[in-house]
């Protein structure tokens, strides 16, 4: 990937700023009475669950970077808006009181439309004027702030849950337990990620996305409408972020800044996996999620994001291109 | 498609274009390619040769001037639309997808008409036998010369009427340069008009019908290849002393 050298330091700075924010209340309560093996397994399950949700939100962030080299600081807000939009339709006293499933579907659609709107309305005109990447990066920070505070005004600061699937009994699986809700979310997330991979690997639009990520001019020269591909990537990324937001709101809680807090982990995931690669985003996010949860076996929950970042740094020292960086690049 | 068969394949007039706001790299540059012609563009490093090709192809926005393909005004159209109109382009650098195999690269070349793949791949195997033998090899693991062949084959998959080549011989050994130029003539002989940028100015002018010398974003000289090769000023400024000794 050719990207201006300045981008990575800028990103690192962003990560530092982000990590100053306190960690979201992640982590299931681990029953103290069980043996270490059981607790480890439980943390692993929680980690996979957390990781696949991060992965769903991070794919769009990674694809946007891959295709237009933009670091979208506002990507977390897509997550928040997805969750709060679904909350409005589902559980807000002012809303229509839909069941969560249609509300989630509407939120995903809304995420796609939002992605389309920012590409057509903002990024595309700015790109057409030749705005530099650093300037665009600053604009994404501004957009993030703006969107976050719009959510704050509309939604408020009170954490909330969806009307359905809120409190559930865990299914006892011997040493570990998982609620039907969490199990469903995890399985659905894995299914979605497999779907994304199949889409990228087997469809024409997927081929086009990969081609644009590798070499934009050569993609154009192959007859691919790059602007259209970029639009699709934004819609796709927006939809996935919204879905991830609903999932996160389901297994954890909905807050006005949930996406912003997740952003740190998404960045960690996509850098860890290899910038710009969708598969890298998946693998990296999974690692980040697992490390964050497993670390709570030994260390305070408040530090779990810090451990995820530490792993990021260690991996980058050994493998600067990330786990899958450069290897998977195709056209 | 309002194609006029008698109009020049390509007529670019007074092109002004650049990358950064306020800085024009091309400052009123014109090229024309007649049907079946092989036209060369030479000039010093940084003259704007690659920029000219990108502007003509639609990868770079044209700030003023017009680009016509077979009489049709295509100024401001993006490159993928030019591909549909019969233009093939081989970039100077990174002209193949390195992680893809030869076969997959050729498939990318005919992304718009996948049904024609088999027929076109067979034609390319004939033109470039070296590729046929290496179907499953990753493009990134091929030698510079083979890669250049693949890049040309990729661009020819759509049966273009005009092929834009940006320094096809760059970085190749003399033997491989000869092979590339031979292929270019063969492609041109089959009726494809070619606009070729070259740093190997002498060789380029030797095989071209006509040539343009570009300098600082403007046309400096133009004429038939043979004429430019004999022009004292062109020799002095662009072909170097070696040319004179010969
Ligand atoms: N992507 C870019 N952004 C900004 N400026 C560029 C870019 N590409 C080229 N330039 C500038 O435009 C001018 C012309 O470059 P161009 O690549 O067209 O030259 P060239 O004639 O093809 O040279 P060469 O023989 O080295 O390939 C140079 O001054 C170069 O620095
Ligand atoms: Mg050049």
């Amino acid at each position: 990937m050719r990207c201006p050298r300045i981008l990575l330091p800028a990103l690192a700075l962003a990560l530092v700023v982000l990590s100053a924010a306190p960690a979201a209340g992640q982590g299931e309560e681990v029953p103290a009475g069980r043996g270490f093996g059981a607790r480890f397994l439980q943390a692993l399950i929680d980690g996979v669950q957390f990781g696949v949700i991060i992965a769903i939100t991070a794919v769009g962030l990674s694809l946007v970077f891959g295709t237009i080299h933009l670091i979208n600081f506002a990507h977390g807000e897509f997550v928040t808006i997805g969750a709060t939009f679904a909350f409005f339709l589902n559980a807000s006293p002012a809303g229509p009181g839909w069941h969560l499933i249609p509300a989630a579907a509407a939120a995903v659609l809304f995420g796609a439309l939002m992605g389309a709107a920012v590409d057509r309305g903002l990024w595309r005109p700015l790109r057409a004027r030749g705005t530099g990447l650093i300037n665009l990066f600053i604009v994404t920070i501004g957009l993030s702030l703006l969107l976050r505070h719009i959510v704050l005004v509309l939604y408020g600061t009170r954490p909330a849950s969806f009307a359905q699937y809120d409190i559930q009994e865990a299914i006892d699986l011997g040493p570990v337990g998982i609620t039907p809700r969490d199990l469903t979310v995890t399985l659905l997330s894995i299914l979605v990620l497999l779907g994304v991979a199949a889409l990228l690997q087997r469809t024409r639009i997927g081929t086009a996305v990969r081609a644009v990520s590798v070499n934009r001019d050569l993609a154009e020269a192959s007859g691919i409408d790059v602007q259209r591909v970029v639009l699709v990537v934004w819609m796709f990324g927006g939809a996935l972020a919204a879905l991830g937001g609903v999932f996160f709101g389901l297994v954890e809680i909905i807050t006005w800044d949930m996406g912003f807090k997740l952003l740190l982990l998404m960045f960690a995931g996509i850098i860890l996996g290899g910038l710009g690669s969708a598969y890298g985003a998946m693998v990296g996010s999974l690692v980040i999620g697992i490390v964050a949860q497993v670390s709570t076996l030994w260390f305070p929950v408040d530090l779990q994001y810090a451990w995820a970042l530490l792993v990021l740094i260690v991996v980058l020292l050994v493998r600067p291109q990330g786990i899958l960086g450069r290897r998977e690049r195709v056209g | 498609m309002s194609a006029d068969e008698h109009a020049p394949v390509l007529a670019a007039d007074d092109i002004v274009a650049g990358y950064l706001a306020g800085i024009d790299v091309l400052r009123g540059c014109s090229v024309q390619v007649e049907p079946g012609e092989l036209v060369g563009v030479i000039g010093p490093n940084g003259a704007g040769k690659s920029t000219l090709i990108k502007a003509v192809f639609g990868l770079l926005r044209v700030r003023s001037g017009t680009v016509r393909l077979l009489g049709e005004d295509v100024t401001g159209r993006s490159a993928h639309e030019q591909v549909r109109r019969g233009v093939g382009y081989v970039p100077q650098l990174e002209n193949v997808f390195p992680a893809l195999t030869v076969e997959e690269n050729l498939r990318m070349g005919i992304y718009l008409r996948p049904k024609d793949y088999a027929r076109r791949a067979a034609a390319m195997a004939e033109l470039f036998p070296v590729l046929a033998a290496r179907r499953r090899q990753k493009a990134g693991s091929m030698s510079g010369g083979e890669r250049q062949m693949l890049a040309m084959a990729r661009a020819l998959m759509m049966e273009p009427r005009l092929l834009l080549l940006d320094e096809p011989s760059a970085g190749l050994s003399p033997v491989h340069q000869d092979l590339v130029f031979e292929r270019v003539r063969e492609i041109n002989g089959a009726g494809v008009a070619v606009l070729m940028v070259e740093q190997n100015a002498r060789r380029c002018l030797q095989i071209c019908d006509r040539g343009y010398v570009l300098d600082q974003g403007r046309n400096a000289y133009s004429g038939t290849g043979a004429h430019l090769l004999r022009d004292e000023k062109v020799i002095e400024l662009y072909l170097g002393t070696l040319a004179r000794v010969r």
Side-chain angles (χ1 to χ4, degrees), chain A residues 2 204 207-208 211 214-215 217-218 220-225 329-331, chain B residues 57 59 79-80 83 89 91 94-97 99-100 108 111-112 114 154:
Chain A
R2 292 155 297 129
R204 270 172 73 73
T207 307
V214 178
N215 188 332
D217 284 0
L218 205 52
E220 275 276 349
S222 308
I224 292 168
D225 183 347
R329 293 282 135 73
V330 260
Chain B
F57 187 51
L59 287 174
H80 68 272
V83 174
Y89 166 64
E94 301 182 35
N95 48 19
V96 295
F97 292 105
L100 294 187
M108 284 309 296
Y111 178 83
L112 293 176
R154 204 217 85 248

Side-chain angles (χ1 to χ4, degrees), chain B residues 15-32:
Chain B
I15 303 294
V16 176
Y19 302 89
L20 307 173
I23 302 174
D24 294 332
V25 172
L26 299 179
R27 299 178 296 164
C29 196
S30 304
V31 284
Q32 190 154 324

